[in-house]
Amino acid sequence: MHARITGTGSYLPTLALSNNDLVARGVDTSDEWIVERTGIRSRHIAGDGQMASDLAVEASQKAIAAAGISAEKIDLIILATSTPDFIFPSTACLLQSKLGVSGAAAFDVQAVCSGFTYALTVAEKFIYSGSHHCALVVGTEVFSRILDWNDRGTCVLFGDGAGAVILEASDAPGILASALHADGSHHGILEVPGNVCGGKVVGQPFVKMDGPAVFKFAVKVLAEVAREVLDRAGMAAAEIDWLIPHQANIRIIQATAKKLGLPMEKVITTVDRHGNTSAASIPLALDVAVRDGRIKRGDTLMLEGVGGGFTWGAVILKF
Ligand code: UT7
């Protein structure tokens, strides 16, 4: 029994803000600084009242259509987000309701920017066990809601969006290997240190980040987990057709590709257009490259992410 991706989909809110748009809105930055340090040129921002589940339903419907199934076939929904619609119920349940179906198991996964690699790996285990046969796996974020627009060290980096895949039981190989890790002792270098208590926000409801510390940590663990998952799959880096990394910073992506000996021609990048969409960035980049024809059936993909927690993970699969 294997678990194979049979359809992909994604959605970006209509409003796109360029770096110069941020400058025009009063952010103390410049297009030159953002492009040079991050590779980001533009990001999408959700409209007023547009929630993570709204983005997720658009991406999911496209993935369902691409897989050629009906939503009723889905028996498991796993949704990765750090910007849920509510404290509860889970955004996965709200998505299920918006898809007009019921009965499937549905829950959220919280692993920040590694969320999609976590969600996909969990879904694969359900399918591999034989308990479930058709999973909808989603990464969806409205990070713009948790940005402090006066903190130029973070607000220029993030964007909103959603990506989704249908993962089905299959006789043919799909997911070949995965590896997930966390080290909670590093929670303080990237966090939103706030909560709701007694009807009030306690702490800070905005992204706080030590950028250089995150940068160093990300480059180190992404290279390590890539090698680990290659070992588990019994493969060499040269056998990877496409690397689809979390889209946080082009310099992190380039450093990871270099450490693996992969040319940038084999790396899918959307960070220039999407910014960092956290748990949505990997499925968004995957869907972009499937729809523009670069990723083809039978290609070998490596997905990898790193994010708050700290968490990190990688998945190798036959598409
Ligand atoms: O999804 C995972 C989470 N996030 C990441 O992976 C992000 C990882 N970190 C990074 O990508 C980079 O560390 C950043 C892009 C966030 C920052 O780049 P950096 O090269 O590490 O810059 P820095 O934080 O060391 O700051 C250098 C300078 C500082 O000025 P001084 O002290 O040298 O005068 C900052 O105040 O750049 C300044 N700066 C800015 N200037 C213009 C910081 N942000 C900005 C900005 N525009 N937006």
Side-chain angles (χ1 to χ4, degrees):
M1 181 66 73
H2 299 280
R4 195 170 150 262
I5 292 177
T6 55
T8 68
S10 62
Y11 176 76
L12 290 161
T14 41
L15 176 65
L17 289 184
S18 69
N19 295 339
N20 284 327
D21 290 334
L22 297 185
V23 174
R25 288 173 177 228
V27 180
D28 179 18
T29 190
S30 67
D31 179 54
E32 294 72 26
W33 191 95
I34 302 171
V35 172
E36 189 193 312
R37 303 290 178 117
T38 72
I40 298 168
R41 294 176 185 277
S42 177
R43 75 285 293 144
H44 291 254
I45 303 291
D48 287 345
Q50 199 175 23
M51 309 296 270
S53 66
D54 296 315
L55 276 50
V57 73
E58 302 280 349
S60 300
Q61 280 164 344
K62 288 181 191 156
I64 290 165
I69 62 164
S70 74
E72 284 76 20
K73 190 179 179 194
I74 295 164
D75 56 11
L76 174 67
I77 300 175
I78 307 183
L79 183 146
T81 191
S82 298
T83 50
D85 291 21
F86 301 134
I87 292 172
F88 74 79
S90 68
T91 306
C93 284
L94 299 172
L95 168 63
Q96 184 184 46
S97 165
K98 286 179 183 178
L99 286 171
V101 290
S102 62
F107 59 93
D108 287 0
V109 161
Q110 161 58 293
V112 200
C113 303
S114 314
F116 188 76
T117 55
Y118 268 66
L120 191 63
T121 300
V122 172
E124 190 256 346
K125 309 287 183 214
F126 271 69
I127 289 175
Y128 188 70
S129 77
S131 67
H132 292 72
H133 307 282
C134 182
L136 169 61
V137 186
V138 186
T140 183
E141 300 283 11
V142 283
F143 249 64
S144 60
R145 303 273 159 72
I146 52 169
L147 296 177
D148 175 357
W149 293 100
N150 294 312
D151 177 7
R152 66 180 183 171
T154 53
C155 73
V156 302
L157 304 175
F158 295 93
D160 302 335
V165 304
I166 298 293
L167 190 74
E168 292 191 73
S170 160
D171 294 332
I175 292 178
L176 302 176
S178 60
L180 300 177
H181 295 286
D183 182 347
S185 70
H186 296 286
H187 68 88
I189 60 173
L190 177 54
E191 61 183 352
V192 179
N195 62 40
V196 175
C197 181
K200 293 194 183 102
V201 172
V202 178
Q204 295 173 317
F206 295 121
V207 176
K208 300 284 163 204
M209 182 173 70
D210 177 346
V214 171
F215 192 100
K216 271 186 227 134
F217 195 88
V219 170
K220 178 176 169 289
V221 298
L222 286 172
E224 284 171 4
V225 79
R227 288 196 197 99
E228 180 185 356
V229 80
L230 281 168
D231 281 351
R232 284 192 185 184
M235 298 177 83
E239 293 174 76
I240 300 297
D241 295 307
W242 296 104
L243 173 65
I244 308 167
H246 170 49
Q247 308 284 320
N249 184 318
I250 193 69
R251 293 187 293 136
I252 296 176
I253 295 172
Q254 286 164 341
T256 306
K258 196 172 168 196
K259 284 191 173 193
L260 283 176
L262 286 177
M264 283 304 286
E265 292 71 39
K266 284 186 158 194
V267 183
I268 306 296
T269 59
T270 54
V271 67
D272 56 329
R273 291 160 280 160
H274 300 171
N276 181 345
T277 57
S278 191
S281 90
I282 294 172
L284 254 166
L286 170 65
D287 185 53
V288 165
V290 167
R291 285 176 194 265
D292 70 21
R294 277 178 292 170
I295 293 179
K296 298 188 176 54
R297 281 280 157 218
D299 283 354
T300 303
L301 316 183
M302 182 192 288
L303 281 45
E304 64 167 356
V306 59
F310 243 77
T311 56
W312 61 102
V315 178
I316 293 179
L317 61 92
K318 278 265 176 234
F319 185 69

